């Protein structure tokens, strides 16, 4: 059963229904579900679907020709293979489609271009001369994001300005991802999302009839299972110097978020080299550089500002628990690693992804106009505040602090302040007061509305306060079951 991707399918259907030619570029990191989404879109439509391989140009053209000539086009009566790519692409005009738009999908298009760098130019010439005014839709799909963004679509490249639609697919959000596990409890859905994230390929590996514990042991920690070797497979496919990348990703997974911290933990002497490796991981969609939600452009341009985080929950889980215990797992000690390493830390491990779940919930509230005001930006706030310090001569000191969620109103004067607690006890009044203290550096004349998100509910004083003020309390069941 195909799950989710309503926005992507709607986008493709709208392009399909538009008049004249359509040239659509659909791209995103590996395993995000591009191919399955395109196959779902093609259902019920006459189409030609070709998946490129990593092969020589001659072999690629031969495979492409054989598949295309099976489509009952006139050329198939006379030849067994096209002499060149121009002839092959031109034959798109001969594809039978009746009253429908001719639909052509070329999956992993960068592989084709790697074998023959002139292919974008050939396609551009045909597009300008014939295809753009025809009843045809060509979809170019790929996982090599840097190639597509920096070469295929960039200025001065052949297809620049030709695409009628460009869609970058990202992993599924929490609510769509958890449709794979409809019978899980709210707590188990959060933990499952913390382990797997929103990559469809990972979600499909789990058995929704098994518990979270059983799935982790059977499908991640057991040697030979698909997810056990998934990370190493992807890195070897995409990158060289995998030992260095392993060290860097492990450092980030274990909570080292600053450039110098990552360099030190990875035993790389030159931070500038680490920065290059991190930039490559960002291009692959594995790492992101995060700034405070109120950061200005000048701050974002500073290479030493911002923090690094793994965008992929599964990578974070794998480097935290699998990579660090690979020797024991290779020996088959699955139960031992789970009981003594994973299980005691799993709940706390899920606390950071829980913040992302809460952000997804806030986005849903905004869509339904269920917030006190509309916000223009939402994210983590990172700043400095004064704290009591008995060892300081003044009795106070400055410390870095964070607010899990800060949504800034469209007028710039109202703030929704959110704190997320994924722990086995209720959100306490004192924790709420700690949140208020963090806001001291923000505008004094601003209006603050507090939203607290908790796995285990709220203490009595918070509950009473919410009845007589604007304090918003959201328990786990409300958050997870909103959609």
């Amino acid at each position: 059963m195909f799950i989710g991707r309503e926005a992507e399918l709607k986008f493709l259907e709208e392009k399909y229904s538009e008049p004249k030619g359509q040239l659509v570029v659909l791209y995103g990191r590996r395993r995000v579900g591009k191919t399955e989404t395109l196959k779902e879109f093609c259902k019920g439509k006459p189409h030609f679907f070709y998946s490129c391989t990593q092969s020589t140009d001659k072999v690629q053209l031969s495979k492409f020709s054989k598949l295309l000539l099976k489509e009952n086009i006139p050329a198939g009566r006379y030849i067994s293979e096209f002499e060149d790519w121009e002839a092959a692409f031109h034959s798109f005009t001969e594809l039978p489609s009746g009253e429908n738009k001719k639909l052509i999908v070329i999956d992993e298009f960068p592989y084709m271009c790697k074998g023959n760098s002139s292919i974008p130019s050939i396609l551009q010439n045909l597009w300008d001369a014939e295809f753009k005014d025809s009843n045809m839709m060509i979809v170019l799909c790929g996982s090599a994001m840097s190639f597509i963004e920096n070469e295929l679509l960039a200025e001065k490249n052949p297809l620049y300005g030709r695409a009628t639609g460009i869609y970058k697919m990202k992993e599924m959000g929490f609510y769509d991802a958890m449709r794979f596990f409809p019978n899980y409890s709210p707590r188990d859905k959060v933990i499952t999302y913390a382990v797997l994230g929103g990559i469809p390929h990972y979600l499909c590996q789990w058995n929704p009839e098994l518990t979270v514990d059983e799935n982790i042991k059977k499908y991640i920690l057991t040697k030979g299972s698909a997810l056990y070797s998934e990370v190493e497979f992807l890195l070897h496919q995409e990158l060289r110097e995998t030992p260095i990348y392993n060290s860097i990703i492990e450092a980030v997974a274990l909570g080292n978020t600053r450039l110098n911290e990552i360099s030190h933990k990875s035993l790389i002497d030159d931070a500038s080299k680490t920065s290059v490796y991190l930039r490559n991981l960002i291009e692959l969609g594995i790492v992101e550089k995060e700034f405070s939600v109120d950061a200005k452009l000048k701050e974002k341009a500073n290479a030493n500002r911002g923090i690094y985080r793994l965008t992929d929950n599964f990578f974070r889980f794998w480097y935290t628990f699998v990579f660090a215990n690979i020797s024991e797992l290779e020996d088959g000690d699955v139960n031992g690693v789970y009981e003594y390493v994973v299980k005691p830390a799993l709940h706390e491990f899920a606390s950071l992804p829980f913040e992302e779940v809460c952000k997804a919930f806030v986005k849903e509230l905004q869509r339904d106009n269920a917030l006190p005001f509309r916000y223009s930006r939402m994210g983590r706030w990172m700043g400095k505040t004064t704290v009591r310090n008995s060892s300081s001569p003044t009795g106070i000191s400055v410390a870095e602090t964070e607010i899990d969620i800060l949504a800034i109103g469209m007028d710039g004067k109202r703030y929704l302040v959110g704190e997320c607690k994924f722990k086995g006890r209720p959100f306490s009044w004192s924790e709420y007061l700690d949140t208020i203290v963090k806001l001291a550096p923000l505008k004094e004349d601003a209006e603050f509305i507090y939203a607290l998100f908790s796995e285990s509910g709220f203490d009595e004083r918070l509950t009473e306060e919410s009845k007589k003020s604007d304090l918003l309390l959201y328990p786990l069941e409300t958050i997870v079951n909103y959609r």
Side-chain angles (χ1 to χ4, degrees), residues 193 260 405:
Y193 182 72
N260 288 334
I405 298 175

Side-chain angles (χ1 to χ4, degrees), residues 215-346:
N215 271 302
I216 290 174
K217 287 191 285 187
K218 185 172 183 179
Y219 297 112
I220 299 179
L221 302 184
T222 298
K223 183 179 179 180
S225 63
L227 294 180
Y228 179 83
S229 54
E230 169 69 10
V231 172
E232 288 184 320
F233 170 78
L234 281 179
L235 288 187
H236 281 291
Q237 194 171 32
E238 297 284 355
L239 300 165
R240 301 174 184 175
E241 301 181 282
T242 50
I244 295 177
Y245 283 104
N246 276 331
S247 299
I248 290 173
I249 299 173
E250 182 185 28
V252 179
L254 296 177
N256 300 278
T257 60
R258 303 285 180 181
L259 180 59
N260 288 334
E261 295 174 349
I262 298 168
S263 292
H264 178 73
K265 187 70 176 179
S266 307
L267 302 180
I268 300 174
D269 296 332
D270 189 349
S272 63
K273 291 183 179 179
T274 307
S275 181
V276 173
Y277 291 122
L278 286 166
R279 188 161 59 247
N280 292 336
L281 291 171
I282 289 171
E283 288 184 350
L284 290 176
I286 296 170
V287 169
E288 67 177 352
K289 194 172 186 181
E290 183 182 13
F291 296 88
S292 179
V293 66
D294 60 348
K296 302 295 189 293
L297 288 176
K298 185 177 181 180
E299 181 180 347
K300 292 182 179 181
N302 188 331
N304 294 319
R305 304 301 293 271
I307 62 174
Y308 294 91
R309 294 188 185 277
L310 295 183
T311 59
D312 189 308
N313 286 353
F314 179 68
F315 269 67
R316 181 169 169 259
F317 180 89
W318 194 89
Y319 277 96
T320 302
F321 297 115
V322 179
F323 186 69
N325 298 279
I326 199 72
S327 296
E328 292 86 345
L329 294 173
E330 284 287 311
D331 290 338
D333 189 16
V334 173
N335 288 326
V337 170
Y338 185 79
E339 291 298 327
Y340 294 100
V341 179
V342 180
K343 191 173 182 178
L346 187 58

